[in-house]
Amino acid sequence: MKRIVILLLTVMVCLAGFSKTPDKDKDTDKQKRVFVALATIVDGDTLPTVQLEEVVIYAKRIFPSARKQRKYDKLTRNVIKMYPISKEIKTILVETYLYMQTLPDDKARAEHLEKVEKGVWDQYLPIMKRCTLAQGKLLIKLIDRECNQTSYELIQAFIGGLKARFYQTFAALFGASLKKEYDPDNDEEDAMIEEIIWMIDNDML
């Protein structure tokens, strides 16, 4: 019994020792709980202001039929394939525009654009030959999304209205349009495309 009492007293003393934190440790703990934030004055009161990251939440899509589920799965596969190409095209356009600003005259710019056009054809024609019509139409939308201009407007700006009309006529033969715009706010399919792209960008696909 005496040994148990001694053991209990020893434990209590140890606990008391641990519970008594030196002033320095208290200061350290207090510093850990303090954070610096911007402040906004509202009606004479100073209120902390914290910048919160945007959170995007998409509900899980439930389709009424297996056919619509397959259609969505196909769209997902097409976006995964064509989205990187649209970003590459944007990079080419930006680099081409910046480089053209360094050229001395219209002749030099025209010659450079011819080289760029040929390079794009050589690089992407084999890829596009393996694409379906649906993937080609999707790429037109994605280019508008990335560049804030339709494919027709971009061709017109870089290599002229004559070629823009030629390519538009060529696309129309296959039921496509280079003037097609990307509109996720009003088009249901484009809204699904935007959701798929968000998942790609956040490593969820």
Side-chain angles (χ1 to χ4, degrees), residues 92 113-125:
I92 291 171
L113 281 174
E114 286 183 7
K115 292 179 182 179
V116 172
E117 185 181 5
K118 183 179 184 305
V120 169
W121 272 104
D122 292 344
Q123 181 176 352
Y124 289 101
L125 186 59

Side-chain angles (χ1 to χ4, degrees), residues 129-194:
K129 282 182 176 179
R130 297 193 297 271
C131 292
T132 64
L133 177 59
Q135 290 170 344
K137 289 181 176 180
L138 174 62
L139 181 59
I140 291 172
K141 284 187 177 183
L142 293 177
I143 289 174
D144 182 45
R145 179 187 184 272
E146 291 299 310
C147 302
N148 293 318
Q149 285 183 289
T150 64
S151 298
Y152 183 87
E153 291 169 335
L154 290 168
I155 294 171
Q156 187 177 40
F158 276 89
I159 55 179
L162 184 62
K163 286 195 173 181
R165 289 191 292 274
F166 169 78
Y167 286 127
Q168 169 66 3
T169 303
F170 183 76
L173 294 175
F174 298 93
S177 173
L178 298 178
K179 297 180 180 180
K180 185 67 176 177
E181 296 181 353
Y182 182 74
D183 186 14
D185 294 328
N186 300 299
D187 186 283
E188 183 179 358
E189 182 178 271
D190 290 359
M192 288 191 287
I193 293 171
E194 190 66 24

Side-chain angles (χ1 to χ4, degrees), residues 53-87:
E53 295 293 333
E54 180 182 2
V55 177
V56 179
I57 299 176
Y58 288 112
K60 183 179 180 181
R61 289 188 176 271
I62 299 176
F63 297 93
S65 66
R67 183 182 65 83
K68 289 192 174 182
Q69 178 68 61
R70 289 194 299 271
K71 185 178 179 180
Y72 179 78
D73 293 340
K74 181 180 179 181
L75 179 63
T76 300
R77 292 193 297 271
N78 287 343
V79 174
I80 290 173
K81 181 176 181 179
M82 306 311 291
Y83 180 47
I85 296 176
S86 70
K87 297 185 75 173

